[in-house]
Amino acid sequence: HRLAFEDYKRGLSWGTYMDRELRQRLAESAMLMIAGQELSAREKEEVYQFTVRELRRSVASSPRDVKNHMYLMNFLNRVPGADPGGAADESLKLFEEAKALSASRPQLYYEAGQAYFTKRDFAAGFAMFQKAIDLNPAPSESHMNMLLASIIGDRADLTTREAKALEDLGYEFTLLDY
């Protein structure tokens, strides 16, 4: 992991047209690095800070590319660092910017829902997950997100509804799901 992180830093120091793509790969790798056992707490913090800074650069350099917002939102939601509330607030700010550009993208609502859940605002979180379902009820991912939210938010009515919706879509639960 240390060598990979150094490679990302070196690659991004060159300032090429591939920086946004490299930052997206960095975000994916950084989640694994931070979750793993190889790096010290100090090294994990360095990876976190560097990744957030680089993802913010992607948003700043291409503010109309919603994908950049989504990568940063996803990273902040999955790896909130020492300040989960602050990470959730930043994710929600990014959501508002991205929604103005692409309001029909369900993934934005998944990320906003997760940020609201981090803030323990379950009503707002459920509203975001429901909006994703309303935008397109066919994908099982939207129903699975609501199902998981309903378990976390202790909403048995929604758990039953979403399990039924997934069953109606032909989704088969596996041991991994449980």
Side-chain angles (χ1 to χ4, degrees):
H1 291 310
R2 287 179 188 89
L3 293 176
F5 181 56
E6 293 304 318
D7 287 343
Y8 281 113
K9 287 172 36 179
R10 187 172 44 259
L12 287 165
S13 73
W14 297 328
T16 72
Y17 72 97
M18 292 296 296
D19 282 356
R20 283 190 301 278
E21 178 72 24
L22 190 54
R23 288 177 185 127
Q24 292 168 8
R25 300 292 79 78
L26 166 65
E28 295 164 0
S29 295
M31 285 185 221
L32 297 173
M33 290 179 209
I34 292 168
Q37 302 302 313
E38 183 181 319
L39 301 180
S40 69
R42 183 192 57 74
E43 289 169 319
K44 288 179 181 186
E45 180 63 19
E46 180 185 359
V47 168
Y48 176 83
Q49 293 299 331
F50 180 80
T51 303
V52 169
R53 187 171 51 251
E54 289 299 321
L55 291 172
R56 286 176 181 152
R57 283 185 179 148
S58 285
V59 171
S61 69
S62 294
R64 300 192 57 76
D65 187 346
V66 174
K67 184 171 48 174
N68 294 326
H69 291 73
M70 287 177 42
Y71 268 94
L72 181 51
M73 290 171 69
N74 182 273
F75 188 79
L76 291 169
N77 284 335
R78 306 281 174 303
V79 188
D83 182 13
D89 288 340
E90 183 173 355
S91 184
L92 291 170
K93 179 182 175 291
L94 289 159
F95 166 72
E96 291 300 328
E97 294 170 7
K99 186 174 76 166
L101 300 168
S102 183
S104 63
R105 196 176 290 211
Q107 296 85 354
L108 288 175
Y109 298 92
Y110 303 156
E111 295 299 336
Q114 185 163 343
Y116 278 121
F117 264 62
T118 297
K119 294 174 67 65
R120 314 280 305 158
D121 186 345
F122 295 129
F126 283 125
M128 292 294 111
F129 291 120
Q130 185 60 53
K131 178 66 175 176
I133 291 170
D134 294 343
L135 285 169
N136 187 354
S140 60
E141 183 180 10
S142 295
H143 294 283
M144 184 60 81
N145 284 333
M146 181 64 96
L147 175 69
L148 295 173
S150 72
I151 293 167
I152 294 167
D154 197 25
R155 288 283 308 272
D157 59 322
L158 293 176
T159 302
T160 302
R161 184 190 83 185
E162 293 308 314
K164 172 83 169 87
L166 285 163
E167 183 180 301
D168 291 347
L169 288 170
Y171 188 86
E172 294 185 25
F173 289 93
T174 66
L175 184 59
L176 185 58
D177 291 320
Y178 291 105

